[in-house]
Amino acid sequence: MIRLLASVTGPEEAEIVIEGGADFVDLKDPRLGALGAATPAVLVATLRAVAGRRPVSAVAGDLPMEPAVVVREVTARLAADYVKIGLFPASREARSAVIEALRPLASRTRLIAVIFADGDPDFDLLPVLAEAGFAGAMIDTLGKSSGRLTASLSPAKLGDFVRRSRALGLMSGLAGSLEPPDVARLAVLEPDYLGFRGALTEGPRDGPVTLAAVRAIRALIPSEAAAGTATSGASDRIFVRDFDLPLEIGAYGHERGRKQQVRFSVEAAIDPIAPDARSIGAVYSYDVIIDAIRALAESGHTDLVETLALDLAHTILADTRVREVTVRVEKLELGPRAVGVEITRRRETVEARHS
């Protein structure tokens, strides 16, 4: 299941996020940059306060890609359950040298590499991290005022990061100025955790964490108890109609190497909208459907419209609030106005197939 990583500045905020339901306590000093590091003394105090109730991660700091510097700062934080190391903009050789220098420390604590969505992200370093013994990798943003994570990397690219990490046995995390509406859009990618700071604070990201904000984010992240439960009774419907995108599609030779217009229409039966819903974070957003369609457009050539329809239905049904989905996929350039396929899938059908 997806876990909540909450960034804190010390023992007091650690108590707040634990009470609010955080799964990981992430120690940093947000005044000092994207991965501004708290002092080793604050780490010791935080570990003492948490007392093993949650895993504690500590960031090593906004550091140059110089092996000796990074090793020194990581070594000072080995008491943490996890240490996060930023792979800041530099050549692949420089980043690889830092990773190699950290190899001996990977046996002493769990190391998490942070790849920056807006800082020359290099997913080809994932195998290097796995081979060096790192426990995981996450994506974050350098410029906290320049927009959310999805402004720098599309959901399709983020999904590719999660899949590649999982295949290598690496824990995966997503963070970067995330807001409540981002939870549902990123949850379908199934990362191991989502990381938050600004959404948990009163005012700017270096302001104080509030219990109400932590609880609000916790309530949006799918829980283990809710996953896979079948629902009954009344439902509402959400739809995206006539969304046209150029895709590489077709089984014939003349259809390869070029794009043609494909139209998507999706209608999903969802759990009833709560009477007190007043924000996008409280509802199932059509953005989730649009993200899933755009991801298909970025996935490369597909022979069959049936494959597109099945993949899209499976992605949408990954959200436990969706009970049933109807997907229509139409090719628009074959002579008739449209040719294609329409399928309907229900949650029970998907669960039975994967049980």
Side-chain angles (χ1 to χ4, degrees):
M1 295 303 300
I2 300 170
R3 307 300 193 224
L4 167 59
L5 178 144
S7 292
V8 304
T9 57
E12 295 80 9
E13 289 190 348
E15 290 291 350
I16 293 171
V17 301
I18 290 174
E19 183 177 352
D23 300 294
F24 294 96
V25 175
D26 178 51
L27 184 64
K28 65 173 56 174
D29 188 337
R31 300 170 300 176
L32 302 180
L35 291 186
T39 66
V42 173
L43 172 59
V44 169
T46 302
L47 288 168
R48 186 180 302 118
V50 173
R53 290 174 291 167
R54 298 291 190 277
V56 175
S57 62
V59 301
D62 284 14
L63 303 174
M65 292 293 90
E66 299 175 8
V69 174
V70 176
V71 168
R72 182 189 68 218
E73 296 303 321
V74 172
T75 301
R77 292 164 176 84
L78 289 178
D81 299 292
Y82 297 88
V83 181
K84 293 162 56 182
I85 302 100
L87 298 181
F88 289 88
S91 67
R92 179 176 294 178
E93 291 74 17
R95 290 164 163 173
S96 296
V98 167
I99 294 168
E100 181 60 29
L102 291 169
R103 181 189 293 270
L105 300 184
S107 62
R108 299 176 60 184
T109 193
R110 285 166 282 190
L111 304 181
I112 305 292
V114 181
I115 297 171
F116 294 103
D118 52 350
D120 188 22
D122 186 354
F123 294 175
D124 288 337
L125 287 173
L126 291 174
V128 181
L129 293 168
E131 198 278 329
F134 274 60
M138 69 177 294
I139 298 183
D140 204 336
T141 55
L142 271 172
K144 299 304 180 182
S145 61
S146 60
R148 304 193 313 276
L149 174 65
T150 51
S152 297
L153 289 177
S154 70
K157 290 185 172 60
L158 296 173
D160 179 58
F161 164 79
V162 171
R163 287 189 295 273
R164 292 178 66 174
S165 297
R166 184 181 298 120
L168 291 164
L170 295 170
M171 178 187 297
S172 64
L174 302 176
S177 300
L178 300 184
E179 299 179 19
D182 293 312
V183 174
R185 298 178 68 185
L186 298 177
V188 298
L189 306 179
E190 299 182 335
D192 291 298
Y193 62 90
L194 295 174
F196 294 86
R197 173 63 194 180
L200 308 180
T201 65
E202 184 176 28
R205 67 188 296 269
D206 58 354
V209 165
T210 71
L211 180 59
V214 178
R215 284 176 169 166
I217 294 295
R218 172 74 270 174
L220 295 174
I221 296 177
S223 67
E224 193 166 4
T229 57
T231 56
S232 60
S235 65
D236 296 330
R237 304 189 81 81
I238 188 169
F239 59 87
V240 173
R241 293 179 182 149
D242 299 338
F243 185 28
D244 297 355
L245 282 176
L247 272 75
E248 296 182 24
I249 180 74
Y252 290 100
H254 71 270
E255 294 182 296
R256 297 183 180 276
R258 70 179 185 90
K259 294 183 178 182
Q260 54 184 300
Q261 288 297 113
V262 177
R263 175 169 294 164
F264 295 86
S265 295
V266 178
E267 186 165 316
I270 60 173
D271 289 346
I273 299 169
D276 60 350
R278 295 294 182 271
S279 70
I280 193 172
V283 299
Y284 179 80
S285 172
Y286 50 75
D287 283 331
V288 178
I289 298 174
I290 293 173
D291 285 345
I293 296 171
R294 291 191 185 279
L296 290 177
E298 294 184 35
S299 63
H301 188 92
T302 303
D303 281 356
L304 304 175
V305 290
E306 289 84 357
T307 301
L308 294 176
L310 288 167
D311 287 350
L312 184 54
H314 177 69
T315 298
I316 293 169
L317 284 169
D319 192 300
T320 57
R321 294 171 294 182
V322 179
R323 304 178 180 187
E324 177 181 293
V325 62
T326 296
V327 176
R328 173 180 289 184
V329 183
E330 304 170 82
K331 294 168 71 173
L332 305 179
E333 299 181 13
L334 292 184
R337 176 179 295 179
V339 297
V341 66
E342 180 176 291
I343 66 170
T344 298
R345 294 293 184 270
R346 296 175 179 82
R347 172 160 300 284
E348 294 83 2
T349 303
V350 172
E351 288 168 358
R353 189 175 67 198
H354 291 275
S355 63

